[in-house]
Amino acid sequence: ARFIHVWEKDASSRSRLLWKLGQSPVDPVTPEQAVAGIVKQYPASSATFGSDSESRYLTSCNIGEGVDLVLEFAVQDKVFDHSQILELAEILADLHRRESIVLLRKNAKRVHQLDQIVALLHSDLDPIRVASCLASDTSEFLGCGRVSVARRNSSTRWELVAATAVNFPDPRADATRRLCGLIEEACKSQNVDGSVPGIIGSSTTISPNERARGVSETPATGSPFRVRPLSVSGHWNDAEWCAVFEWPQGHADVMEDDSFNPICSHASLAFRNCTEHSNAGLSSIIQRFPRLLRSRRLLIATALIPAVVAGLFFLKMDLQIEVAGKLVPTERVFVFAPE
C-alpha cells in the first residue's frame, strides 16, 4: 500500500487520526465521507502515486456506542477485493476496541487508587499523620522518587515534618536544610497576590551519608521537582503546609499527571480540617480559641450564663412543697404490766 490512514470517528462526526503510514497528506474531511459496510473506491492521483492501476479505498466499521473506525488506503486494484477490505476494517476495529477496553480498565484502576489516597488523607485529624500519608502513599502513585512535606514555623522559616521512606527527618541534615531553603525560595518568588502554585526545577542525588542522616536527595540540579503550597486558596500567604515533589531523571512527563492537582487540593483540605476540627491536645484548643471568641453562638451563651446566675441570687420566691405522711411523736415509751 502507498499509504494507510486509520481514524476514529465519534457520533458527532469528530474524527481523530489513530495511525498513519506513508507520506500522503491527511485530509480531515475524509472520515465524513466513509459509510459503514460500504467500500468506496476513488481513482488515485497519478501525480501522487504515479500508477493508473492504483485506487484509493475508503470504508468504516462500527466499534460501539456510535464510534466508528475509518480505514483509508491506496493499493493496486488487483490486490484486494471489497469483501477483503471489509474484513480488514473489522479486524482493525476489533483491535482498537480491545485497546480501548484495556485503556478504560487502566484508567478505572487509577481512579480507584486516587479515591483510596483521598480517603486516607481525610481519615485522620492529626496533621502529622496526614503529612506522613501524603509523603508515603502518593509517591508511587505519582511516580515520584520522593515527596517531602514541611510546616511553617514563622513567616520565613519552614520545618521538614515527613518525607518518603523517612520516619523522622533530621533537621540538622544538609539535605533537610536545602529542602527548607528551596521552600523558602519558592515562598519568596510569589506574585503580589501570592497565587504562584509553586516552582519547577531540578534536583540531584546526594551522598549515602546524607541519605542516612535524614532525607535521601536534595533539590539542586538534575531531576525535575515541583514545590506546592498546601492551602485551599492556593496562595503562599495563608499556607501553613507545603510539599516538594521530586521525580527521577527522565520522567519529566509525569509532572503533567492529571492526578497531581487533585491530590494537592485534597491534602490542603485535609490540613485545614486538622486545624479547624481537631480536638487533640491543648495546642489545638489554643489555636481555635480566637475563632471561638468570634462565634455568635458562644457570645450568646456567655451572656446568658451571668444573667441566670444573677437571677438565682436576687430573685426571692416562696418555696412550697406538698408531701403525704403521718405525724409521730419524737419520743416513744413502752409500758409493760408487771409479771
Side-chain angles (χ1 to χ4, degrees), residues 14 63 66 87 113 124 135 176 192 207 231 253 260 286 292 307:
R14 291 179 300 182
I63 298 177
E87 292 177 1
Q113 293 175 347
D124 206 318
T176 302
V192 178
S207 63
S231 62
D253 54 334
F260 179 78
I286 295 176
L292 291 176

Side-chain angles (χ1 to χ4, degrees), residues 230-249:
L230 299 179
S231 62
V232 178
S233 64
H235 297 174
W236 282 101
N237 297 335
D238 57 348
E240 297 296 330
W241 295 82
C242 75
V244 181
F245 301 86
E246 302 173 64
W247 287 269
Q249 294 184 3

Side-chain angles (χ1 to χ4, degrees), residues 136-281:
S136 59
D137 295 334
T138 62
S139 58
E140 183 178 358
F141 179 77
L142 294 175
C144 296
R146 183 184 60 196
V147 178
S148 306
V149 184
R151 175 174 52 191
R152 187 193 294 269
N153 282 341
S154 63
S155 59
T156 58
R157 302 291 295 177
W158 293 81
E159 173 192 6
L160 191 64
V161 174
T164 303
V166 178
N167 294 328
F168 304 101
D170 186 358
R172 296 172 297 178
D174 294 338
T176 302
R177 294 176 180 176
R178 280 181 284 213
L179 271 172
C180 295
L182 178 68
I183 296 172
E184 294 171 6
E185 179 185 353
C187 186
K188 294 178 182 178
S189 65
Q190 60 184 329
N191 291 332
V192 178
D193 59 352
S195 60
V196 172
I199 64 174
I200 300 175
S202 56
S203 63
T204 186
T205 304
I206 65 173
S207 63
N209 293 334
E210 288 182 323
R211 183 181 298 109
R213 290 172 59 187
V215 182
S216 59
E217 294 179 0
T218 306
T221 57
S223 301
F225 69 90
R226 178 174 290 181
V227 184
R228 284 292 300 267
L230 299 179
S231 62
V232 178
S233 64
H235 297 174
W236 282 101
N237 297 335
D238 57 348
E240 297 296 330
W241 295 82
C242 75
V244 181
F245 301 86
E246 302 173 64
W247 287 269
Q249 294 184 3
H251 292 74
D253 54 334
V254 298
M255 297 175 63
E256 304 301 329
D257 192 346
D258 295 337
S259 305
F260 179 78
N261 288 330
I263 287 178
C264 292
S265 299
H266 282 282
S268 303
L269 288 173
F271 282 121
R272 189 182 70 173
N273 291 337
C274 292
T275 303
E276 295 183 352
H277 304 293
S278 176
N279 294 322

Side-chain angles (χ1 to χ4, degrees), residues 51-72:
S51 176
D52 295 336
S53 60
E54 291 180 344
S55 298
R56 182 170 63 90
Y57 296 91
L58 179 66
T59 186
S60 67
C61 181
N62 183 260
I63 298 177
E65 298 296 331
V67 181
D68 295 334
L69 183 134
V70 179
L71 172 64
E72 178 193 19

